[in-house]
Structure formats: structure tokens, C-alpha cells
Amino acid sequence: LPTLTLPTPADFDLARDCCSYGYFLLWPNFWDPGTRTLSRVLDVGKGGPVGVVIAQRDGVGSALRLTLSRAVLTAERAELKRQVSRMLRLDESAEAIGEFHGVDPRWKRSGYGRLFRSPTFFEDVIKTVTSCNIQWPGTIEMNRRLCQVVGEKLVLPARRKGGTPLELHSFPSVSRLARTRPATLRARCRVGYRDARLVELARLFRSGKVDPAWFEDPATPEAEIHEALLELPGVGPYAAANIMQLLGRYGRLPLDTESVRHGKTVLGFAGTSAQIMKRVHGHFAPFGEHAFRSYWFEIWAYYESKHGKASTWERETTGRVFTAALLAK
DNA sequence: GGTAGACCTGGACGC
DNA sequence: GCGTCCAGGTCTACC
């Protein structure tokens, strides 16, 4: 099979930096704790979906080895590298992570700093909308169904003679989701009332009214991005702040019921949820433009204290246990 | 500018 | 078993 190599920052650790945010557990992403590889299908051009397995064999800072399901053209190769770099935040240098550790030294030892995200801005927006007002296992199910129902199918030949071919799916493309009927999403993907909002989002991307390049441009003022996100269907204060962090803007906190749980059980705050939210907000304000990472890795450390290293979580078992009721115990 | 009430779905909990 | 509540919120309609 064709392979590609991708250099990484000096401190990059695939197992740690991939398994750093819940989206690594969402379809079509598949982290295999056994082989410590990330695999999924990517849409990189007109040649059809490409399966990719990402491995880091020679330790921290070594190059990634990408094994592809088919040969790719030059333009596809560039796009593929761009998408993998986005997912794993290869754009964040060791120095940039060091700067964060300077502000919050608690994560220096583990090296946590990069946060996993999607290969595209579009997928991040859709995934965030599917995480609202629902428990985590529901988000997992919705993403699985979206891929299987609306995503493009990729069939890989059986590894052994007589074995069954492997069927994989990509994440729904903008154009495909824009053409999907809300009723289909509701019935087959179980997205509930999110149906029309998801289709409308895809249509905004398709028409160019939402331009990913503008949102991703470091030169675009933060306040303008935030304002534009709030205009999107299905995106409120929580989702907007979360998409901001996915864009690498860590100054805002996506406060939700999980923040309240964290405030109570870990930080020891008492009072009404509104009061606790306020205190959580104040607690992380001193971390300034790094606030979200300080907040998130505190939560992540709590999850790992309950279930072990995130890189050992299985998508089908451990990955599904993060419900409010279980976390509160 | 602030706040009830509705909203899909499915897990958790009480009876 | 069945009803109720609510989750990594958002939107609309009111005040």
C-alpha cells in the first residue's frame, strides 16, 4: 500500500495528542489502543474517499507514517497532509505548547497541550451541534449513523483469502449533507430536532455564505468569528465557544452542565448551577487566552483518573461511558 | 437584555 | 414494566 510521511513538532506524541479531546472517539475516527494508530476515511479530492492509517513508530517527535488505501495524485496528497495536520494540530509548534505550559505548568510533565479536532472546519461544526443537549453516547451514535447513512462508502478488500471485505465510511461531505432531506436524518440518523439545522448548515457551507478560510484565518478578529458563529443554526453560546477552541482560539469557555459537574465534584463549588458556572468562569479567567486548555485538561485528567489513559479507551466500550450520571459517582 | 417552554432521543432512576 | 427527568443547549416568544 502507498505510504506518506509527515514530520511532527519535536514534542509531538501521537497517542497523547490524538487522544486529547472526545472527538477522537467519534466516527469516522478510529483510535486502536492495541496498535496505537488512528485510522479513518478522508475526502481529499475527486478520486474518491481514501482510507488512511496514521502511526508514529519512532517515538516522540518522530515523523508520522500514513498508510493509504490507494495511490493519490499530487493535489490529493497535499490536501491529505493538510487534513491530517489539522486533526492533530501539527501547526502548533513545541514552542507554542511551551508557552501554554509557562502559563499553566500543571501540564508540563504530561505534555498535554494539543487538542484533537476534525480534518475540516465543517466536520467540527457538525460534530459540535450533535453534542448539544444530549448525552455523550447519543453523540457517538449520531456520528456513526451520519457516516453510515450519508457518508461515502469505501470497501477495502479482505486481508485474508476468504475473509470479508472491510466497509468504511467517510464523514458526510458538505454537498451530500446539503442534499439530504431532514426527514431522512431524523429517521435514519436519529438526530431528532437537529435535522433541519444540520442540513441548513451544510447549505450555508455549500453556498459560500460560510467560508471556512475566513474562520480559520489567524488574522480574522476573534470577536467577529464569535459573532458569525452565533449566527449559525444550532449554534448558541456553548457551541460557539467550543468551535472557537477547535479553531485554536482558547480564550473562551464552552460552559455547560459538564462544567457545573466539574465545578461541584472537582473544584468543590456549591450553589445553584448559575452560581457554579460563574465561579468556574472566574476560576479559569486568570489563564487568559489559554483558559480553555487549562479547563479542558483538568476535566480530561479527571476522566483519566476514572478510566485510565485516554489512549487505552476503546471506542465501543470505554468511549461510551461518559454520561453525567456515571461521572457524578 | 433576561427568561420560561418546547424540542428528538435514549439512558438513568424511582415506583 | 412504565413514567419522569434530563443530558457537554438552542430557539422562540414574551416581558
Side-chain angles (χ1 to χ4, degrees):
Chain A
L1 292 172
T3 60
L4 287 177
T5 58
L6 199 53
T8 66
D11 67 323
F12 187 85
D13 179 344
L14 179 64
R16 177 196 64 205
D17 294 336
C18 174
C19 309
S20 55
Y21 190 67
Y23 290 6
F24 88 96
L25 294 165
L26 297 181
W27 265 258
N29 298 315
F30 177 69
W31 170 258
D32 182 350
T35 58
R36 294 163 78 81
T37 57
L38 173 71
S39 44
R40 66 168 282 160
V41 178
L42 290 171
D43 278 317
V44 293
K46 293 188 174 164
V50 184
V52 55
V53 180
I54 304 166
Q56 186 180 37
R57 296 182 176 178
D58 302 318
V60 173
S62 68
L64 299 178
R65 183 187 173 88
L66 278 46
T67 307
L68 312 181
S69 63
R70 66 167 171 83
V72 290
L73 306 168
T74 308
E76 289 181 322
R77 183 160 57 236
E79 176 63 12
L80 203 149
K81 287 186 173 182
R82 203 188 63 74
Q83 292 193 13
V84 172
S85 299
R86 188 182 194 280
M87 271 196 279
L88 300 171
R89 304 242 196 192
L90 300 183
D91 59 312
E92 297 216 46
S93 65
E95 292 70 32
I97 300 300
E99 196 179 308
F100 163 56
H101 292 156
V103 175
D104 190 346
R106 294 177 298 166
W107 318 114
K108 201 166 179 174
R109 180 186 290 266
S110 65
Y112 268 128
R114 294 185 187 82
L115 288 153
F116 182 85
R117 59 179 174 175
S118 301
T120 65
F121 175 60
F122 174 67
E123 185 174 329
D124 271 342
V125 171
I126 299 294
K127 276 185 159 56
T128 297
V129 172
T130 64
S131 77
C132 290
N133 196 27
I134 192 158
Q135 301 201 91
W136 182 245
T139 302
I140 295 184
E141 272 305 288
M142 272 189 234
N143 278 273
R144 181 180 70 77
R145 288 170 179 269
L146 280 170
C147 292
Q148 292 188 337
V149 174
V150 191
E152 227 178 308
K153 185 159 50 167
L154 174 66
V155 182
L156 300 179
R159 283 203 195 156
R160 284 172 302 195
K161 254 190 180 172
T164 48
L166 187 57
E167 271 192 19
L168 300 172
H169 296 264
S170 65
F171 191 78
S173 64
V174 168
S175 57
R176 194 95 177 256
L177 190 58
R179 275 184 279 123
T180 306
R181 285 167 39 225
T184 305
L185 288 185
R186 184 175 289 226
R188 299 187 60 199
C189 303
R190 317 297 288 169
V191 301
Y193 67 87
R194 301 164 191 80
D195 57 357
R197 296 175 192 177
L198 294 175
V199 174
E200 186 54 29
L201 278 169
R203 290 182 175 165
L204 287 168
F205 275 81
R206 185 179 61 178
S207 70
K209 283 180 187 154
V210 170
D211 175 15
W214 181 83
F215 283 90
E216 305 242 38
D217 188 347
T220 308
E222 200 152 311
E224 287 183 32
I225 295 180
H226 190 242
E227 204 177 321
L229 289 172
L230 287 172
E231 295 288 312
L232 299 179
V235 176
Y238 164 79
N242 196 55
I243 296 168
M244 294 292 285
Q245 69 86 1
L246 291 164
L247 286 168
R249 316 266 187 155
Y250 304 113
R252 294 164 201 266
L253 295 180
L255 292 178
D256 52 21
T257 53
E258 181 59 1
S259 319
V260 176
R261 199 247 346 123
H262 185 71
K264 272 192 220 169
T265 61
V266 177
L267 300 175
F269 297 158
T272 64
S273 352
Q275 290 169 326
I276 293 174
M277 282 224 197
K278 220 170 180 180
R279 288 194 65 184
V280 170
H281 189 268
H283 183 79
F284 292 100
F287 296 106
E289 63 182 42
H290 299 287
F292 177 76
R293 290 198 274 203
S294 288
Y295 162 79
W296 182 255
F297 291 123
E298 223 176 68
I299 287 198
W300 207 240
Y302 177 72
Y303 294 166
E304 291 196 321
S305 75
K306 297 221 154 198
H307 301 290
K309 277 277 171 210
S311 55
T312 67
W313 301 347
E314 304 266 358
R315 187 173 69 176
E316 308 306 325
T317 55
T318 332
R320 292 178 184 261
V321 302
F322 296 89
T323 63
L326 287 173
L327 285 170
K329 279 180 186 162

